[in-house]
Amino acid sequence: MNQFKLSLVGAMAMVFVGCQSTPTNPPATQPKAKQEQETSQKTQKDKSKVVVTPLPDDGIRRESQPLPSRQPPRLILPENQKSHQNLKDGQGVPAYQNLMQSYLGNLRQNKLKAAESSLLQAQRIAPQSAEVYRELARLANLRKQASSAEAFARKGLSFAQNNTMRKQLWEQIQQSAKLRNNANLMRQATQMMQRY
């Protein structure tokens, strides 16, 4: 049994030695059996030893450094918020008022193209005017463009400041729903109009 173990260890040692590069000066003085025994003993000793080496701690320094100073962000506020608000919805702007009057005059005379042109110019002056979107929705309904009318009215709802304007915008949505025979939208518009 000992011979079997010895020959097995020797064979493993030879495989291990055979995987490495061949040495240039092989030991010639020791007999093969003795060499195999020494090699097997070395491998068994190496397997039983576990060497733990601590990492060097000489280069690590723990220092706290102050954070770089930051200036607080600057806030730029508008000088006069009231005039800024007037420009958004067009109230108090003479050019906007003139364009809306021109629109209404062209609408009464059934000049839809000129009326639309006046409305689009008014929209450029007051892009957040619910009144402009209500009139664009009305104009689209007159032209039988129901989906555009609904889109304009919904956009106007996002800028509407009072319940009267919201009710008028829902009326335009109801008219567009009638043009498209959309019963669900008509029901929704009716409920919203009753709410306001």
Side-chain angles (χ1 to χ4, degrees):
M1 186 74 167
N2 274 343
Q3 282 184 331
F4 177 73
K5 285 182 182 177
L6 187 62
S7 63
L8 182 63
V9 170
M12 288 175 58
M14 294 197 57
V15 169
F16 180 74
V17 171
C19 291
Q20 297 177 351
S21 61
T22 55
T24 53
N25 297 330
T29 57
Q30 294 181 350
K32 274 189 175 182
K34 198 172 183 179
Q35 261 184 341
E36 290 173 4
Q37 190 177 12
E38 286 177 10
T39 309
S40 68
Q41 287 175 356
K42 283 183 182 177
T43 55
Q44 286 177 355
K45 285 180 183 177
D46 290 343
K47 288 181 183 177
S48 65
K49 287 185 182 178
V50 176
V51 180
V52 178
T53 56
L55 295 174
D57 193 28
D58 53 83
I60 299 174
R61 285 188 230 151
R62 291 182 175 88
E63 295 178 5
S64 63
Q65 295 182 353
L67 294 173
S69 64
R70 284 186 155 177
Q71 295 180 356
R74 290 187 338 165
L75 296 176
I76 301 173
L77 298 174
E79 293 177 17
N80 189 355
Q81 286 185 331
K82 191 171 183 180
S83 65
H84 187 63
Q85 184 67 23
N86 285 344
L87 290 177
K88 287 182 181 178
D89 66 1
Q91 301 303 317
V93 179
Y96 172 80
Q97 298 298 329
N98 290 339
L99 286 168
M100 291 306 286
Q101 291 300 319
S102 173
Y103 158 74
L104 289 173
N106 288 325
L107 188 63
R108 284 187 201 111
Q109 294 174 5
N110 206 21
K111 296 179 181 176
L112 298 182
K113 191 86 168 166
E116 182 182 29
S117 176
S118 297
L119 263 181
L120 292 175
Q121 288 177 17
Q123 183 190 21
R124 287 187 196 107
I125 293 172
Q128 295 180 342
S129 171
E131 183 181 13
V132 170
Y133 286 107
R134 179 195 62 205
E135 295 305 319
L136 282 169
R138 179 198 287 182
L139 200 58
N141 276 330
L142 288 173
R143 290 182 164 178
K144 308 288 188 223
Q145 298 170 343
S147 58
S148 296
E150 182 185 353
F152 285 132
R154 288 191 184 274
K155 181 78 172 181
L157 282 170
S158 64
F159 299 123
Q161 298 292 322
N162 56 46
N163 289 341
T164 305
M165 181 60 72
R166 288 183 186 98
K167 184 175 182 177
Q168 292 171 355
L169 288 162
W170 277 108
E171 285 174 356
Q172 295 303 319
I173 292 173
Q174 186 182 41
Q175 284 183 355
S176 71
K178 284 179 185 176
L179 288 173
R180 290 185 288 176
N181 294 324
N182 188 338
N184 290 334
L185 185 59
M186 282 177 30
R187 195 175 316 111
Q188 180 189 11
T190 305
Q191 288 173 354
M192 294 305 289
M193 285 167 47
Q194 290 172 353
R195 186 190 216 180
Y196 301 118

